[in-house]
Amino acid sequence: MTLDKLPIGKRAVITSVGGEGNLRNHLLDMGIIPKTVVSVRKTAPLGDPIEISLRGYTMTLRKDDASKIEVLPFEEE
């Protein structure tokens, strides 16, 4: 599943970050790296961008960029 498909309020673990060149580097620099737990907090009224929470802070991403981030649902232990 990709991050843009994750339902609001659900948590997931990032498995891979796609994209090309500067976009991929920018996502990695912002802390969007594999094995990070992320959740979708809300979406804009028209559905784009989405607000995500990770590593104790929130950020917004365009859905197109979020579609390049692979995630797996987070299983609470």
mmCIF file with all atom_site columns, all heavy atoms in Angstrom, residues 10-38:
data_model
loop_
_atom_site.group_PDB
_atom_site.id
_atom_site.type_symbol
_atom_site.label_atom_id
_atom_site.label_alt_id
_atom_site.label_comp_id
_atom_site.label_asym_id
_atom_site.label_entity_id
_atom_site.label_seq_id
_atom_site.pdbx_PDB_ins_code
_atom_site.Cartn_x
_atom_site.Cartn_y
_atom_site.Cartn_z
_atom_site.occupancy
_atom_site.B_iso_or_equiv
_atom_site.pdbx_formal_charge
_atom_site.auth_seq_id
_atom_site.auth_comp_id
_atom_site.auth_asym_id
_atom_site.auth_atom_id
_atom_site.pdbx_PDB_model_num
ATOM 1   N N   . LYS A 1 10 ? -5.090 5.970  10.870  1.00 0.00 ? 10 LYS A N   1
ATOM 2   C CA  . LYS A 1 10 ? -4.392 4.682  10.896  1.00 0.00 ? 10 LYS A CA  1
ATOM 3   C C   . LYS A 1 10 ? -2.883 4.910  10.872  1.00 0.00 ? 10 LYS A C   1
ATOM 4   O O   . LYS A 1 10 ? -2.399 5.881  10.310  1.00 0.00 ? 10 LYS A O   1
ATOM 5   C CB  . LYS A 1 10 ? -4.787 3.807  9.699   1.00 0.00 ? 10 LYS A CB  1
ATOM 6   C CG  . LYS A 1 10 ? -6.239 3.439  9.688   1.00 0.00 ? 10 LYS A CG  1
ATOM 7   C CD  . LYS A 1 10 ? -6.567 2.540  10.851  1.00 0.00 ? 10 LYS A CD  1
ATOM 8   C CE  . LYS A 1 10 ? -8.034 2.128  10.791  1.00 0.00 ? 10 LYS A CE  1
ATOM 9   N NZ  . LYS A 1 10 ? -8.434 1.341  11.919  1.00 0.00 ? 10 LYS A NZ  1
ATOM 10  N N   . ARG A 1 11 ? -2.163 3.962  11.489  1.00 0.00 ? 11 ARG A N   1
ATOM 11  C CA  . ARG A 1 11 ? -0.709 4.041  11.523  1.00 0.00 ? 11 ARG A CA  1
ATOM 12  C C   . ARG A 1 11 ? -0.108 2.983  10.613  1.00 0.00 ? 11 ARG A C   1
ATOM 13  O O   . ARG A 1 11 ? -0.701 1.926  10.403  1.00 0.00 ? 11 ARG A O   1
ATOM 14  C CB  . ARG A 1 11 ? -0.218 3.837  12.954  1.00 0.00 ? 11 ARG A CB  1
ATOM 15  C CG  . ARG A 1 11 ? -0.635 4.959  13.850  1.00 0.00 ? 11 ARG A CG  1
ATOM 16  C CD  . ARG A 1 11 ? -0.376 4.678  15.299  1.00 0.00 ? 11 ARG A CD  1
ATOM 17  N NE  . ARG A 1 11 ? 0.969  4.171  15.521  1.00 0.00 ? 11 ARG A NE  1
ATOM 18  C CZ  . ARG A 1 11 ? 1.635  4.303  16.651  1.00 0.00 ? 11 ARG A CZ  1
ATOM 19  N NH1 . ARG A 1 11 ? 1.086  4.914  17.667  1.00 0.00 ? 11 ARG A NH1 1
ATOM 20  N NH2 . ARG A 1 11 ? 2.853  3.806  16.778  1.00 0.00 ? 11 ARG A NH2 1
ATOM 21  N N   . ALA A 1 12 ? 1.072  3.288  10.084  1.00 0.00 ? 12 ALA A N   1
ATOM 22  C CA  . ALA A 1 12 ? 1.773  2.363  9.211   1.00 0.00 ? 12 ALA A CA  1
ATOM 23  C C   . ALA A 1 12 ? 3.270  2.563  9.371   1.00 0.00 ? 12 ALA A C   1
ATOM 24  O O   . ALA A 1 12 ? 3.722  3.580  9.909   1.00 0.00 ? 12 ALA A O   1
ATOM 25  C CB  . ALA A 1 12 ? 1.362  2.588  7.760   1.00 0.00 ? 12 ALA A CB  1
ATOM 26  N N   . VAL A 1 13 ? 4.028  1.594  8.888   1.00 0.00 ? 13 VAL A N   1
ATOM 27  C CA  . VAL A 1 13 ? 5.484  1.665  8.894   1.00 0.00 ? 13 VAL A CA  1
ATOM 28  C C   . VAL A 1 13 ? 5.954  1.847  7.458   1.00 0.00 ? 13 VAL A C   1
ATOM 29  O O   . VAL A 1 13 ? 5.525  1.108  6.562   1.00 0.00 ? 13 VAL A O   1
ATOM 30  C CB  . VAL A 1 13 ? 6.097  0.380  9.492   1.00 0.00 ? 13 VAL A CB  1
ATOM 31  C CG1 . VAL A 1 13 ? 7.614  0.417  9.431   1.00 0.00 ? 13 VAL A CG1 1
ATOM 32  C CG2 . VAL A 1 13 ? 5.627  0.180  10.912  1.00 0.00 ? 13 VAL A CG2 1
ATOM 33  N N   . ILE A 1 14 ? 6.823  2.806  7.247   1.00 0.00 ? 14 ILE A N   1
ATOM 34  C CA  . ILE A 1 14 ? 7.362  3.048  5.908   1.00 0.00 ? 14 ILE A CA  1
ATOM 35  C C   . ILE A 1 14 ? 8.298  1.899  5.543   1.00 0.00 ? 14 ILE A C   1
ATOM 36  O O   . ILE A 1 14 ? 9.188  1.544  6.315   1.00 0.00 ? 14 ILE A O   1
ATOM 37  C CB  . ILE A 1 14 ? 8.113  4.391  5.857   1.00 0.00 ? 14 ILE A CB  1
ATOM 38  C CG1 . ILE A 1 14 ? 7.147  5.539  6.144   1.00 0.00 ? 14 ILE A CG1 1
ATOM 39  C CG2 . ILE A 1 14 ? 8.798  4.576  4.500   1.00 0.00 ? 14 ILE A CG2 1
ATOM 40  C CD1 . ILE A 1 14 ? 7.818  6.885  6.329   1.00 0.00 ? 14 ILE A CD1 1
ATOM 41  N N   . THR A 1 15 ? 8.089  1.310  4.368   1.00 0.00 ? 15 THR A N   1
ATOM 42  C CA  . THR A 1 15 ? 8.945  0.215  3.921   1.00 0.00 ? 15 THR A CA  1
ATOM 43  C C   . THR A 1 15 ? 9.926  0.659  2.843   1.00 0.00 ? 15 THR A C   1
ATOM 44  O O   . THR A 1 15 ? 11.034 0.132  2.774   1.00 0.00 ? 15 THR A O   1
ATOM 45  C CB  . THR A 1 15 ? 8.111  -0.967 3.387   1.00 0.00 ? 15 THR A CB  1
ATOM 46  O OG1 . THR A 1 15 ? 7.271  -0.505 2.323   1.00 0.00 ? 15 THR A OG1 1
ATOM 47  C CG2 . THR A 1 15 ? 7.259  -1.573 4.486   1.00 0.00 ? 15 THR A CG2 1
ATOM 48  N N   . SER A 1 16 ? 9.523  1.625  2.012   1.00 0.00 ? 16 SER A N   1
ATOM 49  C CA  . SER A 1 16 ? 10.451 2.146  0.997   1.00 0.00 ? 16 SER A CA  1
ATOM 50  C C   . SER A 1 16 ? 10.006 3.527  0.548   1.00 0.00 ? 16 SER A C   1
ATOM 51  O O   . SER A 1 16 ? 8.824  3.867  0.614   1.00 0.00 ? 16 SER A O   1
ATOM 52  C CB  . SER A 1 16 ? 10.547 1.204  -0.207  1.00 0.00 ? 16 SER A CB  1
ATOM 53  O OG  . SER A 1 16 ? 9.339  1.188  -0.920  1.00 0.00 ? 16 SER A OG  1
ATOM 54  N N   . VAL A 1 17 ? 10.983 4.290  0.091   1.00 0.00 ? 17 VAL A N   1
ATOM 55  C CA  . VAL A 1 17 ? 10.727 5.645  -0.405  1.00 0.00 ? 17 VAL A CA  1
ATOM 56  C C   . VAL A 1 17 ? 11.170 5.680  -1.856  1.00 0.00 ? 17 VAL A C   1
ATOM 57  O O   . VAL A 1 17 ? 12.338 5.465  -2.161  1.00 0.00 ? 17 VAL A O   1
ATOM 58  C CB  . VAL A 1 17 ? 11.498 6.700  0.418   1.00 0.00 ? 17 VAL A CB  1
ATOM 59  C CG1 . VAL A 1 17 ? 11.235 8.100  -0.122  1.00 0.00 ? 17 VAL A CG1 1
ATOM 60  C CG2 . VAL A 1 17 ? 11.120 6.615  1.892   1.00 0.00 ? 17 VAL A CG2 1
ATOM 61  N N   . GLY A 1 18 ? 10.212 5.930  -2.736  1.00 0.00 ? 18 GLY A N   1
ATOM 62  C CA  . GLY A 1 18 ? 10.520 5.992  -4.161  1.00 0.00 ? 18 GLY A CA  1
ATOM 63  C C   . GLY A 1 18 ? 10.777 7.422  -4.599  1.00 0.00 ? 18 GLY A C   1
ATOM 64  O O   . GLY A 1 18 ? 11.125 8.283  -3.794  1.00 0.00 ? 18 GLY A O   1
ATOM 65  N N   . GLY A 1 19 ? 10.578 7.672  -5.853  1.00 0.00 ? 19 GLY A N   1
ATOM 66  C CA  . GLY A 1 19 ? 10.808 9.007  -6.391  1.00 0.00 ? 19 GLY A CA  1
ATOM 67  C C   . GLY A 1 19 ? 12.169 9.066  -7.069  1.00 0.00 ? 19 GLY A C   1
ATOM 68  O O   . GLY A 1 19 ? 12.966 8.148  -6.997  1.00 0.00 ? 19 GLY A O   1
ATOM 69  N N   . GLU A 1 20 ? 12.407 10.171 -7.696  1.00 0.00 ? 20 GLU A N   1
ATOM 70  C CA  . GLU A 1 20 ? 13.644 10.360 -8.444  1.00 0.00 ? 20 GLU A CA  1
ATOM 71  C C   . GLU A 1 20 ? 14.427 11.549 -7.906  1.00 0.00 ? 20 GLU A C   1
ATOM 72  O O   . GLU A 1 20 ? 13.844 12.557 -7.504  1.00 0.00 ? 20 GLU A O   1
ATOM 73  C CB  . GLU A 1 20 ? 13.320 10.635 -9.927  1.00 0.00 ? 20 GLU A CB  1
ATOM 74  C CG  . GLU A 1 20 ? 12.586 9.526  -10.637 1.00 0.00 ? 20 GLU A CG  1
ATOM 75  C CD  . GLU A 1 20 ? 13.498 8.377  -10.989 1.00 0.00 ? 20 GLU A CD  1
ATOM 76  O OE1 . GLU A 1 20 ? 14.665 8.637  -11.330 1.00 0.00 ? 20 GLU A OE1 1
ATOM 77  O OE2 . GLU A 1 20 ? 13.051 7.231  -10.908 1.00 0.00 ? 20 GLU A OE2 1
ATOM 78  N N   . GLY A 1 21 ? 15.723 11.439 -7.884  1.00 0.00 ? 21 GLY A N   1
ATOM 79  C CA  . GLY A 1 21 ? 16.635 12.545 -7.612  1.00 0.00 ? 21 GLY A CA  1
ATOM 80  C C   . GLY A 1 21 ? 16.293 13.417 -6.420  1.00 0.00 ? 21 GLY A C   1
ATOM 81  O O   . GLY A 1 21 ? 16.233 12.942 -5.282  1.00 0.00 ? 21 GLY A O   1
ATOM 82  N N   . ASN A 1 22 ? 16.046 14.695 -6.712  1.00 0.00 ? 22 ASN A N   1
ATOM 83  C CA  . ASN A 1 22 ? 15.829 15.682 -5.659  1.00 0.00 ? 22 ASN A CA  1
ATOM 84  C C   . ASN A 1 22 ? 14.607 15.381 -4.799  1.00 0.00 ? 22 ASN A C   1
ATOM 85  O O   . ASN A 1 22 ? 14.639 15.622 -3.592  1.00 0.00 ? 22 ASN A O   1
ATOM 86  C CB  . ASN A 1 22 ? 15.697 17.088 -6.251  1.00 0.00 ? 22 ASN A CB  1
ATOM 87  C CG  . ASN A 1 22 ? 17.014 17.623 -6.762  1.00 0.00 ? 22 ASN A CG  1
ATOM 88  O OD1 . ASN A 1 22 ? 18.077 17.168 -6.342  1.00 0.00 ? 22 ASN A OD1 1
ATOM 89  N ND2 . ASN A 1 22 ? 16.948 18.571 -7.682  1.00 0.00 ? 22 ASN A ND2 1
ATOM 90  N N   . LEU A 1 23 ? 13.532 14.884 -5.394  1.00 0.00 ? 23 LEU A N   1
ATOM 91  C CA  . LEU A 1 23 ? 12.334 14.569 -4.620  1.00 0.00 ? 23 LEU A CA  1
ATOM 92  C C   . LEU A 1 23 ? 12.644 13.501 -3.578  1.00 0.00 ? 23 LEU A C   1
ATOM 93  O O   . LEU A 1 23 ? 12.319 13.659 -2.402  1.00 0.00 ? 23 LEU A O   1
ATOM 94  C CB  . LEU A 1 23 ? 11.186 14.101 -5.519  1.00 0.00 ? 23 LEU A CB  1
ATOM 95  C CG  . LEU A 1 23 ? 9.965  13.549 -4.761  1.00 0.00 ? 23 LEU A CG  1
ATOM 96  C CD1 . LEU A 1 23 ? 9.348  14.629 -3.886  1.00 0.00 ? 23 LEU A CD1 1
ATOM 97  C CD2 . LEU A 1 23 ? 8.963  12.971 -5.718  1.00 0.00 ? 23 LEU A CD2 1
ATOM 98  N N   . ARG A 1 24 ? 13.282 12.427 -3.972  1.00 0.00 ? 24 ARG A N   1
ATOM 99  C CA  . ARG A 1 24 ? 13.612 11.345 -3.046  1.00 0.00 ? 24 ARG A CA  1
ATOM 100 C C   . ARG A 1 24 ? 14.540 11.848 -1.942  1.00 0.00 ? 24 ARG A C   1
ATOM 101 O O   . ARG A 1 24 ? 14.333 11.568 -0.764  1.00 0.00 ? 24 ARG A O   1
ATOM 102 C CB  . ARG A 1 24 ? 14.259 10.180 -3.781  1.00 0.00 ? 24 ARG A CB  1
ATOM 103 C CG  . ARG A 1 24 ? 14.518 8.992  -2.866  1.00 0.00 ? 24 ARG A CG  1
ATOM 104 C CD  . ARG A 1 24 ? 14.937 7.761  -3.670  1.00 0.00 ? 24 ARG A CD  1
ATOM 105 N NE  . ARG A 1 24 ? 14.916 6.588  -2.836  1.00 0.00 ? 24 ARG A NE  1
ATOM 106 C CZ  . ARG A 1 24 ? 15.893 6.247  -1.989  1.00 0.00 ? 24 ARG A CZ  1
ATOM 107 N NH1 . ARG A 1 24 ? 16.951 7.021  -1.881  1.00 0.00 ? 24 ARG A NH1 1
ATOM 108 N NH2 . ARG A 1 24 ? 15.805 5.158  -1.257  1.00 0.00 ? 24 ARG A NH2 1
ATOM 109 N N   . ASN A 1 25 ? 15.552 12.620 -2.307  1.00 0.00 ? 25 ASN A N   1
ATOM 110 C CA  . ASN A 1 25 ? 16.467 13.180 -1.307  1.00 0.00 ? 25 ASN A CA  1
ATOM 111 C C   . ASN A 1 25 ? 15.739 14.091 -0.336  1.00 0.00 ? 25 ASN A C   1
ATOM 112 O O   . ASN A 1 25 ? 16.010 14.070 0.868   1.00 0.00 ? 25 ASN A O   1
ATOM 113 C CB  . ASN A 1 25 ? 17.614 13.932 -1.980  1.00 0.00 ? 25 ASN A CB  1
ATOM 114 C CG  . ASN A 1 25 ? 18.568 13.007 -2.695  1.00 0.00 ? 25 ASN A CG  1
ATOM 115 O OD1 . ASN A 1 25 ? 18.672 11.831 -2.364  1.00 0.00 ? 25 ASN A OD1 1
ATOM 116 N ND2 . ASN A 1 25 ? 19.262 13.527 -3.689  1.00 0.00 ? 25 ASN A ND2 1
ATOM 117 N N   . HIS A 1 26 ? 14.808 14.883 -0.843  1.00 0.00 ? 26 HIS A N   1
ATOM 118 C CA  . HIS A 1 26 ? 14.043 15.797 0.008   1.00 0.00 ? 26 HIS A CA  1
ATOM 119 C C   . HIS A 1 26 ? 13.181 15.019 1.010   1.00 0.00 ? 26 HIS A C   1
ATOM 120 O O   . HIS A 1 26 ? 13.131 15.358 2.192   1.00 0.00 ? 26 HIS A O   1
ATOM 121 C CB  . HIS A 1 26 ? 13.183 16.718 -0.858  1.00 0.00 ? 26 HIS A CB  1
ATOM 122 C CG  . HIS A 1 26 ? 12.469 17.776 -0.100  1.00 0.00 ? 26 HIS A CG  1
ATOM 123 N ND1 . HIS A 1 26 ? 13.121 18.783 0.568   1.00 0.00 ? 26 HIS A ND1 1
ATOM 124 C CD2 . HIS A 1 26 ? 11.146 17.984 0.109   1.00 0.00 ? 26 HIS A CD2 1
ATOM 125 C CE1 . HIS A 1 26 ? 12.232 19.563 1.158   1.00 0.00 ? 26 HIS A CE1 1
ATOM 126 N NE2 . HIS A 1 26 ? 11.028 19.101 0.891   1.00 0.00 ? 26 HIS A NE2 1
ATOM 127 N N   . LEU A 1 27 ? 12.522 13.975 0.544   1.00 0.00 ? 27 LEU A N   1
ATOM 128 C CA  . LEU A 1 27 ? 11.705 13.155 1.442   1.00 0.00 ? 27 LEU A CA  1
ATOM 129 C C   . LEU A 1 27 ? 12.570 12.512 2.528   1.00 0.00 ? 27 LEU A C   1
ATOM 130 O O   . LEU A 1 27 ? 12.206 12.514 3.707   1.00 0.00 ? 27 LEU A O   1
ATOM 131 C CB  . LEU A 1 27 ? 10.964 12.073 0.650   1.00 0.00 ? 27 LEU A CB  1
ATOM 132 C CG  . LEU A 1 27 ? 9.886  12.559 -0.324  1.00 0.00 ? 27 LEU A CG  1
ATOM 133 C CD1 . LEU A 1 27 ? 9.374  11.398 -1.171  1.00 0.00 ? 27 LEU A CD1 1
ATOM 134 C CD2 . LEU A 1 27 ? 8.755  13.233 0.407   1.00 0.00 ? 27 LEU A CD2 1
ATOM 135 N N   . LEU A 1 28 ? 13.715 11.978 2.149   1.00 0.00 ? 28 LEU A N   1
ATOM 136 C CA  . LEU A 1 28 ? 14.615 11.361 3.121   1.00 0.00 ? 28 LEU A CA  1
ATOM 137 C C   . LEU A 1 28 ? 15.138 12.400 4.119   1.00 0.00 ? 28 LEU A C   1
ATOM 138 O O   . LEU A 1 28 ? 15.226 12.131 5.317   1.00 0.00 ? 28 LEU A O   1
ATOM 139 C CB  . LEU A 1 28 ? 15.778 10.662 2.407   1.00 0.00 ? 28 LEU A CB  1
ATOM 140 C CG  . LEU A 1 28 ? 15.392 9.457  1.546   1.00 0.00 ? 28 LEU A CG  1
ATOM 141 C CD1 . LEU A 1 28 ? 16.590 8.987  0.719   1.00 0.00 ? 28 LEU A CD1 1
ATOM 142 C CD2 . LEU A 1 28 ? 14.846 8.331  2.385   1.00 0.00 ? 28 LEU A CD2 1
ATOM 143 N N   . ASP A 1 29 ? 15.470 13.594 3.641   1.00 0.00 ? 29 ASP A N   1
ATOM 144 C CA  . ASP A 1 29 ? 15.957 14.665 4.518   1.00 0.00 ? 29 ASP A CA  1
ATOM 145 C C   . ASP A 1 29 ? 14.907 15.090 5.543   1.00 0.00 ? 29 ASP A C   1
ATOM 146 O O   . ASP A 1 29 ? 15.249 15.515 6.642   1.00 0.00 ? 29 ASP A O   1
ATOM 147 C CB  . ASP A 1 29 ? 16.380 15.892 3.708   1.00 0.00 ? 29 ASP A CB  1
ATOM 148 C CG  . ASP A 1 29 ? 17.670 15.678 2.941   1.00 0.00 ? 29 ASP A CG  1
ATOM 149 O OD1 . ASP A 1 29 ? 18.400 14.711 3.250   1.00 0.00 ? 29 ASP A OD1 1
ATOM 150 O OD2 . ASP A 1 29 ? 17.953 16.479 2.021   1.00 0.00 ? 29 ASP A OD2 1
ATOM 151 N N   . MET A 1 30 ? 13.628 14.967 5.191   1.00 0.00 ? 30 MET A N   1
ATOM 152 C CA  . MET A 1 30 ? 12.550 15.349 6.108   1.00 0.00 ? 30 MET A CA  1
ATOM 153 C C   . MET A 1 30 ? 12.258 14.253 7.136   1.00 0.00 ? 30 MET A C   1
ATOM 154 O O   . MET A 1 30 ? 11.374 14.405 7.958   1.00 0.00 ? 30 MET A O   1
ATOM 155 C CB  . MET A 1 30 ? 11.273 15.680 5.331   1.00 0.00 ? 30 MET A CB  1
ATOM 156 C CG  . MET A 1 30 ? 11.378 16.954 4.534   1.00 0.00 ? 30 MET A CG  1
ATOM 157 S SD  . MET A 1 30 ? 9.799  17.499 3.846   1.00 0.00 ? 30 MET A SD  1
ATOM 158 C CE  . MET A 1 30 ? 9.316  16.122 2.842   1.00 0.00 ? 30 MET A CE  1
ATOM 159 N N   . GLY A 1 31 ? 12.981 13.138 7.072   1.00 0.00 ? 31 GLY A N   1
ATOM 160 C CA  . GLY A 1 31 ? 12.779 12.069 8.037   1.00 0.00 ? 31 GLY A CA  1
ATOM 161 C C   . GLY A 1 31 ? 11.854 10.970 7.576   1.00 0.00 ? 31 GLY A C   1
ATOM 162 O O   . GLY A 1 31 ? 11.488 10.098 8.352   1.00 0.00 ? 31 GLY A O   1
ATOM 163 N N   . ILE A 1 32 ? 11.462 11.020 6.322   1.00 0.00 ? 32 ILE A N   1
ATOM 164 C CA  . ILE A 1 32 ? 10.602 9.973  5.765   1.00 0.00 ? 32 ILE A CA  1
ATOM 165 C C   . ILE A 1 32 ? 11.525 8.870  5.271   1.00 0.00 ? 32 ILE A C   1
ATOM 166 O O   . ILE A 1 32 ? 11.947 8.864  4.112   1.00 0.00 ? 32 ILE A O   1
ATOM 167 C CB  . ILE A 1 32 ? 9.709  10.533 4.639   1.00 0.00 ? 32 ILE A CB  1
ATOM 168 C CG1 . ILE A 1 32 ? 8.847  11.649 5.197   1.00 0.00 ? 32 ILE A CG1 1
ATOM 169 C CG2 . ILE A 1 32 ? 8.863  9.436  4.027   1.00 0.00 ? 32 ILE A CG2 1
ATOM 170 C CD1 . ILE A 1 32 ? 8.035  12.382 4.157   1.00 0.00 ? 32 ILE A CD1 1
ATOM 171 N N   . ILE A 1 33 ? 11.869 7.976  6.200   1.00 0.00 ? 33 ILE A N   1
ATOM 172 C CA  . ILE A 1 33 ? 12.809 6.905  5.889   1.00 0.00 ? 33 ILE A CA  1
ATOM 173 C C   . ILE A 1 33 ? 12.199 5.562  6.289   1.00 0.00 ? 33 ILE A C   1
ATOM 174 O O   . ILE A 1 33 ? 11.286 5.516  7.115   1.00 0.00 ? 33 ILE A O   1
ATOM 175 C CB  . ILE A 1 33 ? 14.163 7.120  6.597   1.00 0.00 ? 33 ILE A CB  1
ATOM 176 C CG1 . ILE A 1 33 ? 13.988 7.190  8.103   1.00 0.00 ? 33 ILE A CG1 1
ATOM 177 C CG2 . ILE A 1 33 ? 14.858 8.361  6.079   1.00 0.00 ? 33 ILE A CG2 1
ATOM 178 C CD1 . ILE A 1 33 ? 15.285 7.271  8.874   1.00 0.00 ? 33 ILE A CD1 1
ATOM 179 N N   . PRO A 1 34 ? 12.688 4.474  5.697   1.00 0.00 ? 34 PRO A N   1
ATOM 180 C CA  . PRO A 1 34 ? 12.160 3.158  6.054   1.00 0.00 ? 34 PRO A CA  1
ATOM 181 C C   . PRO A 1 34 ? 12.230 2.880  7.555   1.00 0.00 ? 34 PRO A C   1
ATOM 182 O O   . PRO A 1 34 ? 13.114 3.367  8.256   1.00 0.00 ? 34 PRO A O   1
ATOM 183 C CB  . PRO A 1 34 ? 13.057 2.195  5.266   1.00 0.00 ? 34 PRO A CB  1
ATOM 184 C CG  . PRO A 1 34 ? 13.455 2.999  4.069   1.00 0.00 ? 34 PRO A CG  1
ATOM 185 C CD  . PRO A 1 34 ? 13.653 4.395  4.602   1.00 0.00 ? 34 PRO A CD  1
ATOM 186 N N   . LYS A 1 35 ? 11.259 2.101  8.043   1.00 0.00 ? 35 LYS A N   1
ATOM 187 C CA  . LYS A 1 35 ? 11.091 1.685  9.438   1.00 0.00 ? 35 LYS A CA  1
ATOM 188 C C   . LYS A 1 35 ? 10.561 2.796  10.340  1.00 0.00 ? 35 LYS A C   1
ATOM 189 O O   . LYS A 1 35 ? 10.519 2.644  11.547  1.00 0.00 ? 35 LYS A O   1
ATOM 190 C CB  . LYS A 1 35 ? 12.380 1.113  10.011  1.00 0.00 ? 35 LYS A CB  1
ATOM 191 C CG  . LYS A 1 35 ? 12.853 -0.130 9.274   1.00 0.00 ? 35 LYS A CG  1
ATOM 192 C CD  . LYS A 1 35 ? 14.060 -0.717 9.924   1.00 0.00 ? 35 LYS A CD  1
ATOM 193 C CE  . LYS A 1 35 ? 14.517 -1.921 9.120   1.00 0.00 ? 35 LYS A CE  1
ATOM 194 N NZ  . LYS A 1 35 ? 15.764 -2.454 9.619   1.00 0.00 ? 35 LYS A NZ  1
ATOM 195 N N   . THR A 1 36 ? 10.130 3.918  9.769   1.00 0.00 ? 36 THR A N   1
ATOM 196 C CA  . THR A 1 36 ? 9.528  5.003  10.537  1.00 0.00 ? 36 THR A CA  1
ATOM 197 C C   . THR A 1 36 ? 8.016  4.794  10.600  1.00 0.00 ? 36 THR A C   1
ATOM 198 O O   . THR A 1 36 ? 7.388  4.489  9.589   1.00 0.00 ? 36 THR A O   1
ATOM 199 C CB  . THR A 1 36 ? 9.833  6.367  9.886   1.00 0.00 ? 36 THR A CB  1
ATOM 200 O OG1 . THR A 1 36 ? 11.248 6.548  9.825   1.00 0.00 ? 36 THR A OG1 1
ATOM 201 C CG2 . THR A 1 36 ? 9.215  7.508  10.658  1.00 0.00 ? 36 THR A CG2 1
ATOM 202 N N   . VAL A 1 37 ? 7.441  4.971  11.788  1.00 0.00 ? 37 VAL A N   1
ATOM 203 C CA  . VAL A 1 37 ? 5.989  4.869  11.956  1.00 0.00 ? 37 VAL A CA  1
ATOM 204 C C   . VAL A 1 37 ? 5.374  6.213  11.565  1.00 0.00 ? 37 VAL A C   1
ATOM 205 O O   . VAL A 1 37 ? 5.835  7.268  11.994  1.00 0.00 ? 37 VAL A O   1
ATOM 206 C CB  . VAL A 1 37 ? 5.616  4.504  13.408  1.00 0.00 ? 37 VAL A CB  1
ATOM 207 C CG1 . VAL A 1 37 ? 4.104  4.477  13.573  1.00 0.00 ? 37 VAL A CG1 1
ATOM 208 C CG2 . VAL A 1 37 ? 6.219  3.163  13.786  1.00 0.00 ? 37 VAL A CG2 1
ATOM 209 N N   . VAL A 1 38 ? 4.335  6.164  10.758  1.00 0.00 ? 38 VAL A N   1
ATOM 210 C CA  . VAL A 1 38 ? 3.678  7.368  10.249  1.00 0.00 ? 38 VAL A CA  1
ATOM 211 C C   . VAL A 1 38 ? 2.171  7.181  10.339  1.00 0.00 ? 38 VAL A C   1
ATOM 212 O O   . VAL A 1 38 ? 1.674  6.059  10.296  1.00 0.00 ? 38 VAL A O   1
ATOM 213 C CB  . VAL A 1 38 ? 4.128  7.651  8.790   1.00 0.00 ? 38 VAL A CB  1
ATOM 214 C CG1 . VAL A 1 38 ? 3.717  6.535  7.868   1.00 0.00 ? 38 VAL A CG1 1
ATOM 215 C CG2 . VAL A 1 38 ? 3.616  8.969  8.280   1.00 0.00 ? 38 VAL A CG2 1
#
